[in-house]
Amino acid sequence: MARGVCAVLGVLGLAVVATPAAGACMVQQIVELKVTMEGHSPMVTAQINGRDARFMADSGAFYSMISPGGAAEFHLKDTSPAVGLRVMGVGGEAEAYVTTVKTLTLAGVPVSNIQFIVAGSETGGVGLLGQNVLGLADAEYDLSGGAIRLMKPKDCAHKILAYWAGPSAISTIAIDPATPSSPHTMGEVWVNGVKLRAMFDTGAGSSVLSLRAAARAGVKPGNPGVEPDGWSSGVGRNPIRIWAAPIDSFKAGDEEVHHTRLQIGDIGMDDVDMLVGADFFLSHRVYVANSQRRMYFTYNGGPVFNLNGTATVQDAKDQAPRASPTASRDVDPTDADGFSRRGAAFAARRDLEHALADLDQACKLAPGDARYLYQRALLRLEYHQPLLALSDLDQVLKLQPGHVEALVTRAELRLIEGDHDGVRRDLDAASAAAPAASDLRLRMADVYSAAEAFEAALPLYDQWIKVHPDDARMGEALNGRCWARATLNRELDKALADCNAAARRLPRSAAVLDSRGLVRLRRGDLDKAIADYDAALALRPASAWSLFGRGVARQRKGLKADGDADIAAAIKLRPKVAEEARRYGVVS
């Protein structure tokens, strides 16, 4: 890749701010990337050919990438040589090609003809900024402060580079030398006293142990306290099963955390035992000294891991490392953007009170900026304040009527309220405003479907599926399109093909089995329909729709008593299920 993002560094290096470290050592700031946390994803705004584009800052990505949907949305063409290219990551492999961005503007500086790999799943933005940007110099990760800084040390060969803290607060570990073939930040950590090889990966929202490494540390699925924790995905097309497990101790450098919980799963990397993710980076300020092959970090306070909705104040106390948090070296922000970024970091750490206070201040300082109102609306939804969130969304849409994300979010709120007409109005407006390749079209299709607007949902599923061939959510999208076709009693052969493809991607999904059961019921394949409903109910016994569908199939087979019992059980679980089924033409 002759013209890579390394060209950015040469341009950005024109502006240098010097920060003194110990002795004669100087740590020079080359550039500061402003970071806004979206959930546990550190997002950086750049511009592609003059249009805003959000990228996840992903220290675990070997090269900067754009998703296939992002490439389609920004009209980026394949400029790679005529050879096969594949990338590997969590979830397996994905086909890839190379595209060239005519003008990438990063940190306010435009750079021409920059190459990206196009591959993988959506990340919440257009793509990833990987190690060909973040690893070009030393990198300081200050996610709680809303920034990533590329740094150039001078005369610092044997100096401590965590310039913001006193020596007693600093932990350090050795890291592997970065090479073109292995640019990641790799070092040793200890879990339950077992030495593991870890990748420090801001692109992983939560830290995760491989199943193999977890077993070495005495932790396996099925053990007491190890609980299913959903699914996760990465570059590959296959989501992976995740468990949350109790961990006695985690040690990195001089810092040790006791009595915490970590995710475990098949991360699919033979030479990596653990991904140390954004949760760790949010609770620490980290300096990756590629120049010294060392990593320095200081503890900010709060929980180190388990930053999900169940984390509590007691979790923070239990997880606190045996080190005092470093005193903040920053004064309060002075502008709306600063309060917004700090508020987003508070929100990612589940400190909703301080997050809301910062976002209130951002909205006060910039009342006409829809970005901060939308950010506060999402936080208020987290805080279970739907009426206040709706008020913010209404104001966003007065300021910016074509704000697609706000329209979709308001539609989801209206769906909860049962305002299906309002849902359709908002989604119609969002669909008209969104680019044809927008990732939001899957979310819109799902909300249309939930509001029983299946005619409107189908073309959105078609559009999304066409431009996201390797996305980890493909199984969900195929199931959504299968269900829409089944409820409309249309193109049942195509519906069955969609459900079969979804079942191959999601082999233990009750939702897919339920959808396929309806398709087979519509086709008159009663035995196969009953078998699908049986399998769905084995996974999700309290599914009113699966019970009702099986009941209708059994009645049509002449098994009246069994069918009546199923339908009665379904109505007991969900009194309106029979009325809903009649609207779809599903009757005994």
Side-chain angles (χ1 to χ4, degrees):
M1 298 181 186
R3 178 64 173 170
V5 187
C6 58
V8 177
L9 192 57
V11 177
L12 296 177
L14 295 175
V16 175
V17 178
T19 304
C25 168
M26 296 290 289
V27 182
Q28 300 172 319
Q29 178 180 298
I30 301 169
V31 65
E32 179 179 88
L33 303 177
K34 294 182 177 180
V35 172
T36 299
M37 298 301 300
E38 293 184 8
H40 295 159
S41 298
M43 306 300 293
V44 173
T45 298
Q47 289 77 41
I48 294 177
N49 300 332
R51 285 180 55 195
D52 279 354
R54 292 178 303 164
F55 288 87
M56 181 195 295
D58 184 356
S59 63
F62 80 100
Y63 202 85
S64 297
M65 299 186 188
I66 291 176
S67 70
E73 181 176 342
F74 283 83
H75 308 292
L76 302 175
K77 305 300 184 183
D78 183 349
T79 58
S80 58
V83 295
L85 179 64
R86 301 186 69 82
V87 296
M88 295 187 64
V90 174
E93 295 185 358
E95 294 182 358
Y97 63 87
V98 176
T99 194
T100 301
V101 173
K102 184 177 180 180
T103 304
L104 175 74
T105 304
L106 187 62
V109 179
V111 187
S112 300
N113 299 323
I114 301 302
Q115 291 182 325
F116 286 84
I117 291 174
V118 178
S121 300
E122 298 284 350
T123 61
V126 70
L128 311 172
L129 293 180
Q131 282 292 342
N132 64 315
V133 173
L134 302 176
L136 285 171
D138 287 2
E140 178 190 341
Y141 295 90
D142 184 14
L143 298 193
S144 66
I148 295 173
R149 304 176 184 95
L150 299 186
M151 311 293 282
K152 181 180 179 181
K154 181 180 180 181
D155 298 326
C156 298
H158 303 292
K159 302 294 185 180
I160 294 174
L161 297 181
Y163 58 86
W164 60 88
S168 63
I170 299 168
S171 289
T172 181
I173 63 172
I175 58 174
D176 291 358
T179 66
S181 61
S182 182
H184 305 103
T185 303
M186 302 289 300
E188 291 178 353
V189 299
W190 300 75
V191 174
N192 292 351
V194 176
K195 183 170 70 174
L196 302 178
R197 183 170 169 79
M199 178 189 294
F200 290 83
D201 181 5
T202 58
S206 297
S207 298
V208 57
L209 287 168
S210 73
L211 291 177
R212 181 186 64 251
R216 286 166 52 201
V219 180
K220 296 180 180 180
N223 285 5
V226 178
E227 300 172 349
D229 200 29
W231 299 79
S232 184
S233 60
V235 168
R237 65 168 59 187
N238 301 313
I240 63 167
R241 185 78 178 272
I242 293 292
W243 292 262
I247 300 295
D248 291 334
S249 67
F250 168 88
K251 187 174 185 294
D254 298 324
E255 188 179 282
E256 190 165 2
V257 180
H258 292 278
H259 309 302
T260 187
R261 294 181 71 80
L262 284 173
Q263 291 185 338
I264 65 174
D266 183 10
I267 60 177
M269 301 179 188
D270 293 338
D271 60 341
V272 177
D273 296 319
M274 180 178 184
L275 300 178
V276 179
D279 44 8
F280 179 89
F281 282 84
L282 278 163
S283 57
H284 295 82
R285 190 170 173 183
V286 178
Y287 188 105
V288 177
N290 291 309
S291 59
Q292 296 180 345
R293 300 181 184 177
R294 299 202 68 79
M295 189 179 88
Y296 302 91
F297 53 98
T298 58
Y299 173 57
N300 293 331
V304 176
F305 305 115
N306 193 32
L307 298 183
N308 56 27
T310 64
T312 66
V313 173
Q314 187 59 45
D315 289 329
K317 293 178 180 178
D318 290 344
Q319 291 186 44
R322 292 181 177 176
S324 298
T326 56
S328 173
R329 89 295 182 214
D330 291 327
V331 296
D332 285 339
T334 58
D335 60 7
D337 187 60
F339 279 105
S340 165
R341 287 184 286 123
R342 190 175 74 173
F346 277 132
R349 297 172 67 184
R350 307 301 302 167
D351 186 346
L352 298 181
E353 180 181 353
H354 287 98
L356 189 56
D358 272 357
L359 291 179
D360 284 344
Q361 189 65 16
C363 293
K364 180 180 178 180
L365 290 171
D369 196 318
R371 291 175 299 168
Y372 308 131
L373 286 162
Y374 181 67
Q375 190 180 6
R376 188 173 68 179
L378 296 182
L379 183 62
R380 283 175 161 170
L381 287 174
E382 281 277 326
Y383 226 165
H384 305 294
Q385 297 176 344
L387 295 179
L388 290 173
L390 185 60
S391 175
D392 277 345
L393 292 171
D394 289 343
Q395 185 61 27
V396 168
L397 292 165
K398 285 180 182 177
L399 293 168
Q400 193 176 329
H403 193 299
V404 177
E405 291 172 309
L407 285 164
V408 177
T409 303
R410 190 170 71 176
E412 290 167 336
L413 276 174
R414 287 178 165 170
L415 180 65
I416 294 170
E417 296 170 353
D419 179 8
H420 286 190
D421 290 338
V423 169
R424 293 186 184 102
R425 285 195 303 272
D426 278 346
L427 291 182
D428 288 349
S431 183
S438 172
D439 184 52
L440 284 169
R441 291 197 177 275
L442 177 58
R443 188 171 154 200
M444 284 188 263
D446 287 341
V447 181
Y448 267 133
S449 187
E452 300 182 17
F454 300 109
E455 292 278 5
L458 266 177
L460 298 187
Y461 283 124
D462 289 341
Q463 288 172 315
W464 190 92
I465 288 168
K466 181 179 179 181
V467 295
H468 293 83
D470 281 325
D471 198 283
R473 293 165 295 162
M474 180 61 79
E476 299 168 23
L478 290 166
N479 178 56
R481 190 167 68 176
C482 172
W483 176 253
R485 283 171 166 157
T487 52
L488 291 169
N489 199 14
R490 179 188 302 171
E491 300 177 306
L492 295 181
D493 289 346
K494 290 183 178 179
L496 183 59
D498 276 348
C499 266
N500 285 338
R504 288 191 292 272
R505 289 175 176 262
L506 303 171
R508 289 185 54 79
S509 169
V512 173
L513 291 162
D514 178 80
S515 298
R516 193 169 65 182
L518 180 58
V519 174
R520 285 171 163 166
L521 179 64
R522 295 284 207 192
R523 288 163 56 94
D525 297 335
L526 300 182
D527 289 333
K528 290 182 178 179
I530 291 169
D532 275 340
Y533 285 129
D534 285 343
L537 288 164
L539 294 168
R540 193 169 60 188
S543 171
W545 249 110
S546 293
L547 281 166
F548 192 91
R550 189 175 69 178
V552 172
R554 282 174 164 176
Q555 286 180 338
R556 290 180 184 178
K557 274 187 64 70
L559 304 172
K560 186 175 185 308
D562 290 340
D564 289 348
D566 275 345
I567 289 172
I571 292 172
K572 184 176 180 180
L573 285 169
R574 186 172 165 188
K576 293 186 177 181
V577 66
E579 176 186 336
E580 186 178 341
R582 278 195 296 274
R583 290 199 298 273
Y584 303 160
V586 180
V587 294
S588 58

Short mmCIF file of all heavy atoms in Angstrom, two decimals, residues 5-60:
data_model
loop_
_atom_site.label_atom_id
_atom_site.label_comp_id
_atom_site.label_asym_id
_atom_site.label_seq_id
_atom_site.Cartn_x
_atom_site.Cartn_y
_atom_site.Cartn_z
N VAL A 5 -1.77 5.87 5.47
CA VAL A 5 -2.09 6.98 6.36
C VAL A 5 -0.84 7.51 7.04
O VAL A 5 -0.87 8.53 7.71
CB VAL A 5 -3.16 6.53 7.38
CG1 VAL A 5 -3.65 7.70 8.21
CG2 VAL A 5 -4.36 5.94 6.64
N CYS A 6 0.30 6.86 6.83
CA CYS A 6 1.53 7.41 7.39
C CYS A 6 1.79 8.81 6.86
O CYS A 6 2.46 9.62 7.52
CB CYS A 6 2.71 6.51 7.10
SG CYS A 6 3.00 6.22 5.34
N ALA A 7 1.23 9.14 5.69
CA ALA A 7 1.39 10.50 5.17
C ALA A 7 0.75 11.53 6.09
O ALA A 7 1.17 12.68 6.13
CB ALA A 7 0.77 10.58 3.78
N VAL A 8 -0.29 11.12 6.80
CA VAL A 8 -0.95 12.04 7.72
C VAL A 8 0.02 12.56 8.75
O VAL A 8 0.03 13.74 9.09
CB VAL A 8 -2.14 11.33 8.43
CG1 VAL A 8 -2.78 12.26 9.44
CG2 VAL A 8 -3.17 10.89 7.40
N LEU A 9 0.86 11.67 9.27
CA LEU A 9 1.76 12.06 10.36
C LEU A 9 2.72 13.13 9.90
O LEU A 9 3.02 14.07 10.65
CB LEU A 9 2.52 10.84 10.86
CG LEU A 9 3.29 11.01 12.17
CD1 LEU A 9 2.38 11.45 13.28
CD2 LEU A 9 4.00 9.73 12.52
N GLY A 10 3.21 13.03 8.67
CA GLY A 10 4.12 14.03 8.19
C GLY A 10 3.50 15.40 8.13
O GLY A 10 4.14 16.41 8.44
N VAL A 11 2.22 15.47 7.75
CA VAL A 11 1.55 16.76 7.69
C VAL A 11 1.22 17.27 9.09
O VAL A 11 1.47 18.41 9.44
CB VAL A 11 0.26 16.64 6.85
CG1 VAL A 11 -0.49 17.96 6.83
CG2 VAL A 11 0.62 16.23 5.42
N LEU A 12 0.67 16.39 9.91
CA LEU A 12 0.28 16.79 11.26
C LEU A 12 1.49 17.19 12.09
O LEU A 12 1.39 18.00 13.00
CB LEU A 12 -0.46 15.65 11.96
CG LEU A 12 -1.78 15.24 11.33
CD1 LEU A 12 -2.36 14.05 12.08
CD2 LEU A 12 -2.78 16.39 11.33
N GLY A 13 2.65 16.61 11.79
CA GLY A 13 3.84 16.89 12.58
C GLY A 13 4.32 18.32 12.47
O GLY A 13 5.25 18.72 13.17
N LEU A 14 3.69 19.13 11.61
CA LEU A 14 4.09 20.52 11.50
C LEU A 14 3.76 21.30 12.77
O LEU A 14 4.39 22.30 13.08
CB LEU A 14 3.40 21.17 10.30
CG LEU A 14 3.80 20.60 8.93
CD1 LEU A 14 2.96 21.24 7.84
CD2 LEU A 14 5.28 20.82 8.65
N ALA A 15 2.73 20.86 13.47
CA ALA A 15 2.34 21.55 14.70
C ALA A 15 2.77 20.71 15.88
O ALA A 15 2.28 19.61 16.06
CB ALA A 15 0.83 21.75 14.73
N VAL A 16 3.70 21.20 16.70
CA VAL A 16 4.25 20.42 17.80
C VAL A 16 4.12 21.22 19.09
O VAL A 16 4.47 22.39 19.14
CB VAL A 16 5.73 20.07 17.54
CG1 VAL A 16 6.34 19.37 18.74
CG2 VAL A 16 5.87 19.23 16.30
N VAL A 17 3.59 20.55 20.12
CA VAL A 17 3.51 21.16 21.44
C VAL A 17 4.41 20.36 22.36
O VAL A 17 4.27 19.13 22.46
CB VAL A 17 2.07 21.15 21.97
CG1 VAL A 17 2.02 21.75 23.37
CG2 VAL A 17 1.16 21.93 21.03
N ALA A 18 5.33 20.98 23.03
CA ALA A 18 6.28 20.28 23.90
C ALA A 18 5.78 20.24 25.32
O ALA A 18 5.28 21.22 25.84
CB ALA A 18 7.63 20.98 23.85
N THR A 19 5.90 19.05 25.94
CA THR A 19 5.52 18.88 27.33
C THR A 19 6.71 18.31 28.08
O THR A 19 7.22 17.26 27.70
CB THR A 19 4.33 17.90 27.46
OG1 THR A 19 3.26 18.40 26.66
CG2 THR A 19 3.87 17.78 28.90
N PRO A 20 7.17 18.94 29.15
CA PRO A 20 8.36 18.45 29.82
C PRO A 20 8.09 17.19 30.61
O PRO A 20 7.05 17.05 31.24
CB PRO A 20 8.74 19.61 30.75
CG PRO A 20 7.47 20.34 31.00
CD PRO A 20 6.67 20.21 29.75
N ALA A 21 9.01 16.24 30.57
CA ALA A 21 8.98 15.07 31.44
C ALA A 21 10.19 15.19 32.36
O ALA A 21 10.77 16.26 32.52
CB ALA A 21 9.01 13.79 30.62
N ALA A 22 10.61 14.08 32.96
CA ALA A 22 11.69 14.15 33.94
C ALA A 22 13.01 14.51 33.27
O ALA A 22 13.29 14.10 32.14
CB ALA A 22 11.81 12.80 34.65
N GLY A 23 13.85 15.28 33.94
CA GLY A 23 15.17 15.64 33.45
C GLY A 23 15.09 16.41 32.16
O GLY A 23 14.28 17.30 31.98
N ALA A 24 15.97 16.11 31.21
CA ALA A 24 16.01 16.81 29.94
C ALA A 24 15.04 16.24 28.92
O ALA A 24 14.93 16.75 27.81
CB ALA A 24 17.42 16.77 29.38
N CYS A 25 14.38 15.17 29.28
CA CYS A 25 13.44 14.51 28.36
C CYS A 25 12.29 15.45 28.01
O CYS A 25 11.74 16.13 28.85
CB CYS A 25 12.92 13.25 29.04
SG CYS A 25 11.52 12.46 28.22
N MET A 26 11.93 15.46 26.73
CA MET A 26 10.78 16.22 26.26
C MET A 26 9.84 15.27 25.53
O MET A 26 10.27 14.48 24.68
CB MET A 26 11.21 17.34 25.33
CG MET A 26 12.09 18.40 25.98
SD MET A 26 11.19 19.42 27.17
CE MET A 26 10.15 20.36 26.07
N VAL A 27 8.56 15.34 25.85
CA VAL A 27 7.54 14.57 25.15
C VAL A 27 6.74 15.56 24.31
O VAL A 27 6.06 16.43 24.86
CB VAL A 27 6.62 13.81 26.12
CG1 VAL A 27 5.61 12.99 25.34
CG2 VAL A 27 7.44 12.91 27.03
N GLN A 28 6.87 15.44 23.01
CA GLN A 28 6.26 16.40 22.10
C GLN A 28 4.95 15.85 21.54
O GLN A 28 4.91 14.74 21.01
CB GLN A 28 7.22 16.71 20.95
CG GLN A 28 8.54 17.30 21.42
CD GLN A 28 9.55 17.43 20.30
OE1 GLN A 28 9.69 16.54 19.46
NE2 GLN A 28 10.25 18.54 20.28
N GLN A 29 3.89 16.62 21.67
CA GLN A 29 2.60 16.23 21.12
C GLN A 29 2.57 16.55 19.63
O GLN A 29 2.70 17.70 19.23
CB GLN A 29 1.47 16.95 21.83
CG GLN A 29 0.09 16.61 21.26
CD GLN A 29 -1.02 17.33 21.98
OE1 GLN A 29 -1.20 17.13 23.18
NE2 GLN A 29 -1.76 18.18 21.28
N ILE A 30 2.39 15.52 18.82
CA ILE A 30 2.28 15.70 17.38
C ILE A 30 0.87 16.11 17.01
O ILE A 30 0.66 17.06 16.25
CB ILE A 30 2.68 14.41 16.64
CG1 ILE A 30 4.11 14.02 16.99
CG2 ILE A 30 2.51 14.56 15.14
CD1 ILE A 30 4.48 12.64 16.53
N VAL A 31 -0.11 15.40 17.53
CA VAL A 31 -1.50 15.70 17.21
C VAL A 31 -2.39 15.14 18.31
O VAL A 31 -2.06 14.13 18.95
CB VAL A 31 -1.91 15.10 15.85
CG1 VAL A 31 -1.88 13.58 15.87
CG2 VAL A 31 -3.28 15.60 15.42
N GLU A 32 -3.50 15.79 18.55
CA GLU A 32 -4.52 15.29 19.47
C GLU A 32 -5.78 14.95 18.69
O GLU A 32 -6.33 15.80 17.97
CB GLU A 32 -4.85 16.34 20.54
CG GLU A 32 -5.93 15.89 21.51
CD GLU A 32 -6.23 16.91 22.59
OE1 GLU A 32 -7.09 17.79 22.34
OE2 GLU A 32 -5.60 16.85 23.66
N LEU A 33 -6.21 13.71 18.80
CA LEU A 33 -7.47 13.27 18.21
C LEU A 33 -8.55 13.37 19.28
O LEU A 33 -8.43 12.75 20.33
CB LEU A 33 -7.35 11.83 17.70
CG LEU A 33 -6.25 11.55 16.68
CD1 LEU A 33 -6.23 10.06 16.34
CD2 LEU A 33 -6.44 12.38 15.42
N LYS A 34 -9.56 14.15 19.03
CA LYS A 34 -10.64 14.30 20.00
C LYS A 34 -11.55 13.09 19.94
O LYS A 34 -12.02 12.70 18.86
CB LYS A 34 -11.41 15.59 19.74
CG LYS A 34 -10.57 16.84 19.96
CD LYS A 34 -11.38 18.11 19.75
CE LYS A 34 -10.54 19.34 20.05
NZ LYS A 34 -11.30 20.60 19.85
N VAL A 35 -11.81 12.50 21.10
CA VAL A 35 -12.54 11.24 21.19
C VAL A 35 -13.84 11.45 21.94
O VAL A 35 -13.86 12.04 23.03
CB VAL A 35 -11.70 10.17 21.92
CG1 VAL A 35 -12.52 8.92 22.18
CG2 VAL A 35 -10.46 9.83 21.12
N THR A 36 -14.94 10.96 21.36
CA THR A 36 -16.22 10.91 22.05
C THR A 36 -16.63 9.46 22.20
O THR A 36 -16.74 8.74 21.20
CB THR A 36 -17.31 11.68 21.27
OG1 THR A 36 -16.92 13.05 21.15
CG2 THR A 36 -18.65 11.61 22.00
N MET A 37 -16.81 9.00 23.43
CA MET A 37 -17.24 7.62 23.64
C MET A 37 -18.69 7.46 23.21
O MET A 37 -19.55 8.27 23.56
CB MET A 37 -17.09 7.24 25.12
CG MET A 37 -15.68 7.29 25.65
SD MET A 37 -14.51 6.20 24.80
CE MET A 37 -15.27 4.58 25.08
N GLU A 38 -18.95 6.42 22.45
CA GLU A 38 -20.32 6.02 22.12
C GLU A 38 -20.50 4.62 22.68
O GLU A 38 -20.00 3.65 22.10
CB GLU A 38 -20.56 6.07 20.61
CG GLU A 38 -20.51 7.48 20.07
CD GLU A 38 -20.85 7.58 18.60
OE1 GLU A 38 -21.28 6.55 18.02
OE2 GLU A 38 -20.69 8.67 18.02
N GLY A 39 -21.15 4.52 23.84
CA GLY A 39 -21.11 3.28 24.59
C GLY A 39 -19.68 3.07 25.04
O GLY A 39 -19.08 3.93 25.68
N HIS A 40 -19.11 1.93 24.66
CA HIS A 40 -17.71 1.65 24.99
C HIS A 40 -16.79 1.77 23.79
O HIS A 40 -15.69 1.22 23.78
CB HIS A 40 -17.61 0.24 25.60
CG HIS A 40 -18.31 0.12 26.90
ND1 HIS A 40 -18.70 -1.10 27.42
CD2 HIS A 40 -18.70 1.05 27.81
CE1 HIS A 40 -19.31 -0.91 28.58
NE2 HIS A 40 -19.32 0.38 28.83
N SER A 41 -17.25 2.50 22.77
CA SER A 41 -16.45 2.67 21.55
C SER A 41 -15.89 4.08 21.49
O SER A 41 -16.66 5.05 21.51
CB SER A 41 -17.30 2.41 20.30
OG SER A 41 -17.78 1.08 20.28
N PRO A 42 -14.55 4.23 21.40
CA PRO A 42 -13.96 5.56 21.26
C PRO A 42 -14.04 6.04 19.81
O PRO A 42 -13.40 5.47 18.92
CB PRO A 42 -12.50 5.35 21.71
CG PRO A 42 -12.22 3.91 21.44
CD PRO A 42 -13.52 3.17 21.53
N MET A 43 -14.83 7.07 19.57
CA MET A 43 -15.10 7.52 18.21
C MET A 43 -14.41 8.84 17.92
O MET A 43 -14.38 9.75 18.75
CB MET A 43 -16.61 7.66 17.98
CG MET A 43 -17.42 6.42 18.31
SD MET A 43 -16.97 4.93 17.36
CE MET A 43 -17.50 5.42 15.72
N VAL A 44 -13.85 8.93 16.72
CA VAL A 44 -13.15 10.12 16.25
C VAL A 44 -13.83 10.58 14.97
O VAL A 44 -14.12 9.77 14.08
CB VAL A 44 -11.66 9.80 15.95
CG1 VAL A 44 -10.97 10.99 15.31
CG2 VAL A 44 -10.95 9.38 17.23
N THR A 45 -14.11 11.88 14.87
CA THR A 45 -14.73 12.42 13.67
C THR A 45 -13.67 12.92 12.70
O THR A 45 -12.78 13.70 13.08
CB THR A 45 -15.70 13.57 14.01
OG1 THR A 45 -16.75 13.06 14.84
CG2 THR A 45 -16.32 14.15 12.74
N ALA A 46 -13.73 12.46 11.47
CA ALA A 46 -12.87 12.92 10.38
C ALA A 46 -13.79 13.33 9.24
O ALA A 46 -15.02 13.38 9.39
CB ALA A 46 -11.91 11.82 9.97
N GLN A 47 -13.20 13.65 8.11
CA GLN A 47 -14.00 13.94 6.91
C GLN A 47 -13.45 13.14 5.74
O GLN A 47 -12.22 13.07 5.54
CB GLN A 47 -13.97 15.44 6.56
CG GLN A 47 -14.74 16.35 7.51
CD GLN A 47 -14.01 16.59 8.80
OE1 GLN A 47 -12.79 16.79 8.79
NE2 GLN A 47 -14.74 16.58 9.91
N ILE A 48 -14.37 12.52 5.01
CA ILE A 48 -14.03 11.83 3.77
C ILE A 48 -14.57 12.67 2.63
O ILE A 48 -15.79 12.85 2.50
CB ILE A 48 -14.64 10.41 3.74
CG1 ILE A 48 -14.00 9.52 4.80
CG2 ILE A 48 -14.47 9.79 2.36
CD1 ILE A 48 -14.60 8.13 4.88
N ASN A 49 -13.65 13.21 1.86
CA ASN A 49 -14.03 14.06 0.72
C ASN A 49 -15.03 15.14 1.11
O ASN A 49 -16.01 15.41 0.41
CB ASN A 49 -14.58 13.20 -0.43
CG ASN A 49 -13.58 12.18 -0.92
OD1 ASN A 49 -12.36 12.41 -0.84
ND2 ASN A 49 -14.05 11.05 -1.43
N GLY A 50 -14.78 15.74 2.29
CA GLY A 50 -15.59 16.87 2.75
C GLY A 50 -16.80 16.51 3.57
O GLY A 50 -17.45 17.41 4.12
N ARG A 51 -17.12 15.22 3.71
CA ARG A 51 -18.28 14.80 4.50
C ARG A 51 -17.83 14.21 5.82
O ARG A 51 -16.87 13.44 5.87
CB ARG A 51 -19.11 13.74 3.76
CG ARG A 51 -19.96 14.25 2.62
CD ARG A 51 -20.71 13.10 1.98
NE ARG A 51 -21.50 12.34 2.94
CZ ARG A 51 -22.02 11.14 2.70
NH1 ARG A 51 -21.80 10.54 1.54
NH2 ARG A 51 -22.74 10.53 3.62
N ASP A 52 -18.53 14.57 6.91
CA ASP A 52 -18.19 14.03 8.21
C ASP A 52 -18.30 12.51 8.21
O ASP A 52 -19.23 11.94 7.64
CB ASP A 52 -19.11 14.58 9.30
CG ASP A 52 -18.69 15.97 9.77
OD1 ASP A 52 -17.62 16.45 9.35
OD2 ASP A 52 -19.44 16.57 10.58
N ALA A 53 -17.33 11.88 8.84
CA ALA A 53 -17.31 10.42 8.95
C ALA A 53 -16.74 10.05 10.31
O ALA A 53 -15.69 10.56 10.70
CB ALA A 53 -16.45 9.81 7.84
N ARG A 54 -17.44 9.20 11.03
CA ARG A 54 -16.97 8.77 12.35
C ARG A 54 -16.20 7.47 12.23
O ARG A 54 -16.65 6.52 11.59
CB ARG A 54 -18.15 8.61 13.31
CG ARG A 54 -18.85 9.91 13.66
CD ARG A 54 -20.05 9.66 14.56
NE ARG A 54 -20.99 8.74 13.93
CZ ARG A 54 -21.95 8.10 14.56
NH1 ARG A 54 -22.09 8.23 15.87
NH2 ARG A 54 -22.78 7.30 13.92
N PHE A 55 -15.05 7.43 12.88
CA PHE A 55 -14.22 6.24 12.92
C PHE A 55 -14.03 5.80 14.37
O PHE A 55 -13.87 6.64 15.27
CB PHE A 55 -12.83 6.51 12.33
CG PHE A 55 -12.80 6.68 10.85
CD1 PHE A 55 -13.04 7.92 10.27
CD2 PHE A 55 -12.52 5.61 10.02
CE1 PHE A 55 -12.99 8.08 8.90
CE2 PHE A 55 -12.47 5.76 8.64
CZ PHE A 55 -12.71 7.00 8.07
N MET A 56 -14.02 4.49 14.60
CA MET A 56 -13.61 3.98 15.91
C MET A 56 -12.09 3.95 15.97
O MET A 56 -11.44 3.44 15.05
CB MET A 56 -14.16 2.57 16.15
CG MET A 56 -13.78 2.01 17.53
SD MET A 56 -14.04 0.22 17.67
CE MET A 56 -15.81 0.13 17.51
N ALA A 57 -11.53 4.49 17.04
CA ALA A 57 -10.09 4.40 17.27
C ALA A 57 -9.80 3.02 17.85
O ALA A 57 -10.11 2.75 19.02
CB ALA A 57 -9.64 5.50 18.22
N ASP A 58 -9.23 2.14 17.04
CA ASP A 58 -9.11 0.72 17.37
C ASP A 58 -7.65 0.31 17.39
O ASP A 58 -7.06 -0.02 16.35
CB ASP A 58 -9.90 -0.10 16.35
CG ASP A 58 -9.92 -1.59 16.67
OD1 ASP A 58 -9.26 -2.00 17.65
OD2 ASP A 58 -10.59 -2.34 15.94
N SER A 59 -7.05 0.28 18.57
CA SER A 59 -5.64 -0.10 18.68
C SER A 59 -5.43 -1.58 18.37
O SER A 59 -4.29 -2.01 18.19
CB SER A 59 -5.11 0.21 20.08
OG SER A 59 -5.79 -0.55 21.07
N GLY A 60 -6.50 -2.36 18.29
CA GLY A 60 -6.38 -3.77 17.95
C GLY A 60 -6.45 -4.05 16.46
O GLY A 60 -6.29 -5.19 16.03
#
